[in-house]
């Protein structure tokens, strides 16, 4: 008798999505902003932050091998994410820009995770 046919392999399960606050925490740490203020702003403006992250996922960063012709510069991404903090006093947006430019790799890691897992 022939050996039994093995059951079909189930498709791989997609990685679990992460809640929006997970990305807010990571971005606040990467941008060097006060956690409470930053998390509150990003919670209120997550839709706008999500647009920036989605552009990053789709277009990439100019100068990287995976970038598309529609790529954006690190400066543009920093300007867009930090614009969410304009008008909060204490030069929050300016501090955001300095941190974002100074350590875009840390910001990019948070966004890479978003590209991979998405937000719930």
């Amino acid at each position: 008798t022939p050996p039994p046919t093995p059951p079909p392999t189930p498709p791989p399960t997609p990685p679990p999505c992460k809640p929006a606050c997970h990305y807010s925490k990571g971005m606040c740490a990467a941008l060097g902003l006060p956690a409470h203020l930053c998390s509150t702003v990003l919670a209120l403006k997550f839709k706008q932050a999500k647009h920036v992250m989605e552009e990053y996922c789709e277009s990439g960063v100019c100068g990287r091998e995976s970038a598309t012709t529609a790529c954006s510069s690190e400066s543009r991404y920093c300007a867009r994410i930090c614009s969410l903090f304009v008008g909060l006093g204490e030069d929050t947006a300016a501090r955001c820009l300095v941190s974002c430019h100074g350590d875009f790799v840390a910001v990019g890691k948070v966004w890479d995770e978003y590209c991979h897992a998405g937000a719930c």
Side-chain angles (χ1 to χ4, degrees):
T1 60
T5 311
T9 308
T13 55
C17 59
K18 308 256 182 187
C21 63
H22 171 81
Y23 300 108
S24 296
K25 257 188 231 170
M27 273 194 278
C28 293
L31 296 172
L33 297 176
H36 180 71
L37 170 73
C38 179
S39 295
T40 302
V41 169
L42 288 176
L44 294 170
K45 299 183 176 182
F46 192 72
K47 195 174 184 181
Q48 293 99 309
K50 193 173 163 186
H51 285 304
V52 178
M53 292 190 292
E54 286 171 354
E55 180 185 331
Y56 172 89
C57 297
E58 290 169 18
S59 302
V61 177
C62 297
R64 291 190 185 168
E65 66 280 348
S66 61
T68 65
T69 52
C71 66
S72 285
S73 65
E74 290 179 4
S75 293
R76 177 173 153 76
Y77 290 121
C78 288
R80 290 194 56 214
I81 202 67
C82 293
S83 72
L84 301 179
F85 300 98
V86 168
L88 295 177
E90 299 181 28
D91 297 326
T92 305
R95 284 197 352 241
C96 175
L97 280 171
V98 170
S99 296
C100 186
H101 288 293
D103 195 4
F104 192 79
V105 169
V107 176
K109 278 184 184 170
V110 175
W111 293 355
D112 287 337
E113 187 177 9
Y114 173 82
C115 298
H116 183 67
C120 303

